[in-house]
Amino acid sequence: MTLASATAKGIFLTSGVLYFTEVVHLDPLDVGLGLSAAGIVSMGLGVLAGRLADRIGPWPVLMASLLVSAAATAAFLLVQGAVSFLAVVVVAMAAQGVLLVARGPIINAIGGTSAQELRAYVRAVTNVGITAGAALAGWAVHQDTVEAYRLLVAADSVFFLVAAGLALRLPRPKPVPALPGPRWTALRDRPYLAVAALDGVLSIQYRVLTVAVPLWIIGHTDAPRWTVSGAVVLNTVIIVALQVRLSRGVDAPRTAGRALRRAGATLGVASTLIACVSLVPAHQAVLLLALGIALHSLGEIWQAAGGFELSNDLAPPHALGQYLGVFGIGMGLAESFAPALLTWLCLGYGVPGWLAVGALFVITGALAPAVVRRAEATRTHSTRATAVPGPASAT
C-alpha cells in the first residue's frame, strides 16, 4: 500500500508544478501560493483527522484519504483556472496529509513492540515509491506533450486506487474510548509541543536536498549538472539500504532524543561540506558533494527514526491520532517555509548562509535530549506497551 501511494506522491512532487504551469497555463506565482495554502490547510485538518481516527478507528480514515486522493488527483484534469486549481489542490494535499496521520496508529497495531522497525521498512519503501514516481514523471517531462502529462495525472489517480484496494487487507484497529477531560489535550501538552517543534526545525533538512542543493549546484559550483539527479539517487540508495539497520536501536524516548542529536550534528557537517563544493574545481566538487549527501542521508535517517519514536511514545494511547496530527504540524511548517528560508540563506549569502543552516541543525539537535527528558518526565504511559498486537477482525 505504501509503495503504491508513494509512487503517486512521487509523480505529484516531480511533475505537479510543471503540469499546472505548462498544460493548464497557470501563473507560477498562483501555483506557489496555492500549494502553500494547501499545506496550511493540510496541517489543520491533520489534527482533526487524528482525533477522528481515535474515535472511529484509523482504518476508515486511511481508506477515505486514499479514495479522496484518487478523486482529487483525477480532478486535476478538469482544472481550468486559479480558482479551480486552489480548490482541487487543497483537497488533494489535505487528503495526503490525513493519510500519514491515519497510517501511524495502524503501523503501531501491526508492529506492536517492533513498530519502529516496521516504520523503518515503510520509510525505505516510501523512498523507492517516490523514486519510481519521479522516474515516471521524468518520462512525461521528456515527452513534453499535453497527452503525456494528462496520462501521468491519470496514472497518479490509479496508483491511489491501487493503494486503496491493498488497504482493504490491512488490520483494522478498534477505536479507543475517550477519557474524561479536555478534548484537545495535544494542543495543551507543552512538553510534547516542544519536542514537535524541535523535530520540525530538523525537518527543514528535507528541503535541503530538493530545493537548496539543486540550485546551489547549478548556480554556484563547478559540479556537473548530472550531479543534481545523482544526489537524489545516492540519497535514496543510502536510505533504502540503512534505514532499517540504523533505526533498530531507537526504541525509547531517550534513545530517540540521542538520535535527533546525532541527526543535528551530522546534518550540520553535511551542510558545511555542501557549502565547500563551491570552493573547489569540478572533479573535487563531485567527491565533496557525494560525501556531503551521504552524511545528509545519515542525518535524515536518524531524524526520521527519532521523530517517529517520540511522536508515538510520548502520546497517550487514547489520543494517539490527535497527537500524531499535532506532531505533524512541525514538519508541515518546515515544508511550507523551508524553501524560502533556504533560498534566502544558502543562495542569498552563499557559504555563510550554508554555515548558518548547519549551525541551526547542530543547535537544535543538541537541545533535543534535554527537551525529550523533560517531556518524558511528564508521561505516565507508554504507547508501545499498549499497542494493539494485531487486527481487530480476522484478515
Side-chain angles (χ1 to χ4, degrees):
M1 187 276 292
T2 297
L3 180 63
S5 61
T7 301
K9 183 177 181 179
I11 291 174
F12 176 76
L13 289 176
T14 307
S15 63
V17 171
L18 291 176
Y19 171 77
F20 289 118
T21 56
E22 300 296 323
V23 177
V24 186
H25 302 297
L26 295 179
D27 185 275
L29 180 59
D30 290 335
V31 175
L33 291 175
L35 291 173
S36 296
I40 293 172
V41 172
S42 179
M43 285 186 289
L45 191 61
V47 181
L48 297 174
R51 177 170 172 77
L52 182 63
D54 291 330
R55 300 290 78 83
I56 69 172
W59 186 87
V61 178
L62 177 78
M63 181 60 71
S65 70
L66 291 170
L67 294 176
V68 171
S69 293
T73 302
F76 288 166
L77 297 172
L78 306 177
V79 171
Q80 296 182 345
V83 175
S84 57
F85 160 71
L86 179 62
V88 172
V89 80
V90 165
V91 174
M93 289 187 64
Q96 293 179 42
V98 169
L99 167 63
L100 298 179
V101 173
R103 195 178 66 178
I106 295 179
I107 290 176
N108 285 346
I110 298 173
T113 57
S114 301
Q116 175 63 268
E117 184 172 359
L118 176 58
R119 175 64 177 85
Y121 279 109
V122 167
R123 187 164 189 274
V125 170
T126 297
N127 277 270
V128 173
I130 290 178
T131 302
L136 291 174
W139 168 83
V141 173
H142 178 72
Q143 296 296 316
D144 197 27
T145 64
V146 172
E147 292 75 16
Y149 276 110
R150 291 186 177 277
L151 182 61
L152 191 66
V153 171
D156 201 349
S157 179
V158 169
F159 275 113
F160 278 120
L161 289 176
V162 171
L166 294 169
L168 291 171
R169 301 182 61 188
L170 289 175
R172 306 180 187 185
K174 295 179 180 178
V176 181
L179 297 181
R183 291 185 177 182
W184 301 106
T185 54
L187 295 174
R188 299 167 181 261
D189 192 337
R190 292 182 181 179
Y192 188 87
L193 293 176
V195 173
L198 289 181
D199 185 75
V201 174
L202 289 175
S203 294
I204 293 174
Q205 57 90 5
Y206 289 107
R207 290 300 185 220
V208 168
L209 194 63
T210 58
V211 176
V213 167
L215 296 175
W216 182 247
I217 290 173
I218 292 174
H220 299 267
T221 78
D222 293 328
R225 297 176 72 91
W226 61 262
T227 56
V228 172
S229 58
V232 176
V233 172
L234 178 60
N235 172 260
T236 301
V237 170
I238 291 175
I239 290 176
V240 171
L242 298 179
Q243 182 73 62
V244 175
R245 181 179 301 177
L246 296 183
S247 298
R248 282 178 179 149
V250 185
D251 53 4
R254 297 203 176 189
T255 56
R258 291 195 290 269
L260 293 187
R261 182 173 60 194
R262 288 196 299 273
T266 307
L267 291 169
V269 175
S271 297
T272 302
L273 292 177
I274 293 171
C276 293
V277 172
S278 66
L279 306 177
V280 298
H283 65 283
Q284 295 177 12
V286 173
L287 296 176
L288 197 58
L289 179 65
L291 180 57
I293 296 301
L295 288 175
H296 180 94
S297 302
L298 293 177
E300 181 179 336
I301 289 172
W302 282 318
Q303 188 260 324
F308 172 75
E309 184 68 24
L310 293 169
S311 65
N312 283 270
D313 239 19
L314 297 178
H318 71 277
L320 178 59
Q322 179 190 150
Y323 269 71
L324 292 179
V326 168
F327 201 88
I329 292 177
M331 179 178 290
L333 288 173
E335 292 188 348
S336 297
F337 295 105
L341 176 66
L342 293 171
T343 302
W344 172 57
L345 286 175
C346 299
L347 303 182
Y349 291 92
V351 172
W354 276 101
L355 295 179
V357 171
L360 177 64
F361 288 142
V362 172
I363 293 171
T364 303
L367 292 173
V371 175
V372 169
R373 283 196 299 270
R374 180 173 177 270
E376 188 179 17
T378 66
R379 307 298 106 168
T380 58
H381 59 267
S382 172
T383 306
R384 288 286 175 269
T386 56
V388 182
S393 57
T395 58

